[in-house]
Amino acid sequence: MNIGFAGLGIMGSAMAINLLKAGFNITVWNRSANKCAPLASMGAAVADSPRALAERCDIVIAMMANPQAVQLVRDGKDGIIAGLTKGKGYLDMSTVDVATSIESARLAHDKGALFLEAPVGGSRKPAEDATLTIMAAGDQALYETSLPVMEKMGKKIMFLGETGQAARMKLANNLVMCGALTALCEGLALASASGLNTAQLLEVLDSGAVSNPMFRLKGPQIAANKEFPAAFPLKHMQKDLRLALRLAEETGQPLFATATINELYKTALSEGLGDSDFAAVSLIIRK
């Protein structure tokens, strides 16, 4: 099986490397061509356009930053859709809104191809360790065909039904994750301002009901309140909050805490923290 991979950012590069290590025939493409070089040195072929990627491969995977990036890579004479033919598969692992996924499915089906949305839960380390959670929806036939591929990138893989369900699930997941992280930032800020030992607060949290891997990973970094190298860029988290709030409007479900947290992340963006890890929001809270 020939696999194409478009989008070699923090997540995509790690995921594509795991597929190479697993022995798949991989062809890659990225808007910044220099990001293809490390994978090419490991044996990946390099396509000169998303269309060429889709033409060459049985399944083309996209891992883009936002809906606009998905559309740029998907559409047009050099886009993924232009290279699809009957029986091929288009697997979009980007975090996007429901409408974008549904449009991708429609365009793929018009070419006789299959479509699967499969956003992932996790950041840099789980991507590198192939322990992502993969939420898939769309054409079940493509899910079954691509399952051996997804199993080399994730440890938990779920099929959620029709296209759009995975996008909804990913947005719900991320608003919970963001809310928990923001609460941790505020708790550590309060502990510090009160003269408490923040390491002891982290120890208390880890021994109780809110113990979780994210707190253990990011807690010491937040307590230090200094540098925040991106595992999950803040600008992408704010994009997910924005999409979750849009989904909430469409469904009539109020999201009181998420709306407030989104304003905090917008402030962080305006302060130039977009390329830092989303835990950098603590710098705004500490102010």
Side-chain angles (χ1 to χ4, degrees), residues 152-173:
K152 299 304 180 182
M153 298 183 284
K155 67 174 182 177
K156 177 72 173 178
I157 303 166
M158 305 171 66
F159 183 71
L160 303 174
E162 65 182 14
T163 301
Q165 290 296 82
R168 296 180 181 101
M169 184 69 79
K170 176 61 191 294
L171 295 176
N173 173 82

Side-chain angles (χ1 to χ4, degrees), residues 49-119:
S49 70
R51 175 176 182 163
L53 190 71
E55 288 173 340
R56 180 181 298 188
C57 299
D58 303 302
I59 296 174
V60 58
I61 299 170
M63 186 62 172
M64 311 309 296
N66 52 50
Q68 294 74 28
V70 167
Q71 292 164 17
L72 285 171
V73 170
R74 181 192 68 191
D75 300 343
K77 64 182 180 63
D78 290 321
I80 288 171
I81 296 298
L84 293 178
T85 54
K86 185 175 181 180
K88 291 196 173 190
Y90 175 17
L91 177 56
D92 189 6
M93 304 189 79
S94 317
T95 298
V96 298
D97 56 294
V98 175
T100 298
S101 283
I102 290 175
E103 179 66 1
S104 294
R106 184 190 69 79
L107 292 169
H109 292 160
D110 285 348
K111 297 296 294 285
L114 300 176
F115 176 77
L116 196 71
E117 56 168 354

Side-chain angles (χ1 to χ4, degrees), residues 174-186:
N174 275 22
L175 77 84
V176 172
M177 180 172 68
C178 188
L181 189 282
T182 306
L184 175 64
C185 291
E186 291 195 343

Side-chain angles (χ1 to χ4, degrees), residues 1-5 19 23-28 45 52-61 87-90 142 145-146 149:
M1 187 187 304
N2 295 314
I3 307 297
F5 207 108
L19 295 181
F24 287 102
N25 295 320
I26 303 296
T27 302
V28 297
L53 190 71
E55 288 173 340
R56 180 181 298 188
C57 299
D58 303 302
I59 296 174
V60 58
I61 299 170
K88 291 196 173 190
Y90 175 17
L142 181 55
T145 301
S146 61
V149 179

